[in-house]
Amino acid sequence: MSKVELNETLRVISERHAVKKYETGLQMPEADLQAILKAASEAPSAWNLQHWKFLVIESEADKQKLLPIAFNQAQVAESCLTIAVLGDLEANRNAVIYNQAVEAGFLKPEIRDALVGQINGAYQNPQVARDSAIMNASLAAQNIMLAARSLGYDTCPMGGFNPDKLAQEFNIPGRYVPVMLISVGKAKEPARPSGRLPLSETVVRGSF
Ligand SMILES: Cc1cc2nc3c(=O)[nH]c(=O)nc-3n(C[C@H](O)[C@H](O)[C@H](O)COP(=O)(O)O)c2cc1C
């Protein structure tokens, strides 16, 4: 067998599909949830600004509150929990992360200050702030789905929800933009088969 066929990461990636029907009444062990959230926070992000916040919706009452907000998609009520992945519109404030590197002696204070200046400058543009929030939080979302699958859970990413209602009902501060809901649980039925365009249609080598 080739390295590709034996590769665990590639297997997990190909096993992930958007599961809509879940076993109900299951609780996720806290260690599994923590492992999934840690994997999410290990995603790469521009300037390491970690443009994400994860709102875990898990109580029965909160699931019922979420159901109409997610246009009655049953997976938010039937899965173990749903993670609302939020993007940080003020991720420039997370540049405090560089203080760790300065304290550890890896980064000169003047370099940090120059970086922070560049970052704050870029984030004056609301389009940059919003694009960055959504782009980087989406990488964390993919980590959630892959980590969950590798631990034996299934997921469904959802853009089908009312972001304003979500923010209102779950007291999400204006700093955060809802990017995606991800239900996490154990599949009762497999995902509907979903094809992919052949690489010959999606890949351009060299230039167009
Ligand atoms: C950003 C995004 C939003 C999506 N929104 C929904 C949704 O609201 N409801 C749903 O059932 N599936 C949703 N999906 C799942 C897609 O339909 C699914 O990923 C796609 O058809 C490919 O199938 P697969 O993930 O099973 O391979 C969404 C996926 C993404 C990435």
Side-chain angles (χ1 to χ4, degrees):
M1 271 220 243
S2 76
K3 260 191 192 163
V4 170
E5 284 165 68
L6 289 171
N7 187 280
E8 174 74 3
T9 305
L10 295 177
R11 186 182 63 73
V12 168
I13 289 171
S14 71
E15 275 183 13
R16 184 223 53 81
H17 286 292
V19 164
K20 320 271 169 98
K21 299 276 179 205
Y22 292 88
E23 298 287 352
T24 53
L26 293 182
Q27 246 202 321
M28 184 184 297
E30 184 61 22
D32 290 356
L33 176 60
Q34 290 300 319
I36 291 167
L37 294 171
K38 183 162 183 290
S41 69
E42 283 171 345
S45 60
W47 274 316
N48 195 22
L49 293 177
Q50 304 170 44
H51 314 56
W52 41 68
K53 203 84 164 177
F54 308 112
L55 171 66
V56 180
I57 297 168
E58 53 195 327
S59 75
E60 200 45 48
D62 283 345
K63 287 178 180 179
Q64 289 308 318
K65 200 160 77 170
L66 180 59
L67 191 56
I69 296 170
F71 307 133
N72 293 315
Q73 298 193 72
Q75 53 269 39
V76 304
E78 293 175 355
S79 59
C80 296
L81 51 85
T82 294
I83 300 173
V85 178
L86 313 175
D88 188 351
L89 296 168
E90 297 172 26
N92 52 313
R93 291 166 65 174
N94 300 340
V96 288
I97 191 76
Y98 297 141
N99 295 343
Q100 289 177 5
V102 171
E103 278 153 30
F106 299 133
L107 188 68
K108 290 195 175 129
E110 54 272 28
I111 307 276
R112 178 216 32 217
D113 295 345
L115 273 169
V116 170
Q118 271 178 27
I119 291 166
N120 286 335
Y123 277 76
Q124 294 307 302
N125 181 338
Q127 182 78 44
V128 168
R130 190 176 165 82
D131 287 352
S132 303
I134 295 170
M135 174 167 48
N136 292 284
S138 296
L139 297 174
Q142 181 71 347
N143 272 16
I144 289 175
M145 293 184 269
L146 296 180
R149 178 83 290 274
S150 75
L151 292 173
Y153 294 95
D154 293 285
T155 56
C156 184
M158 283 166 277
F161 64 96
N162 182 326
D164 296 333
K165 284 224 170 88
L166 183 79
Q168 194 187 331
E169 290 293 324
F170 289 90
N171 301 316
I172 297 172
R175 175 171 173 176
Y176 302 104
V177 54
V179 172
M180 208 182 298
L181 300 177
I182 304 176
S183 57
V184 189
K186 301 270 182 180
K188 187 171 175 191
E189 289 175 21
R192 274 191 235 116
S194 63
R196 290 295 188 271
L197 298 169
L199 293 184
S200 58
E201 287 187 28
T202 58
V203 177
V204 176
R205 299 180 75 157
S207 76
F208 276 86

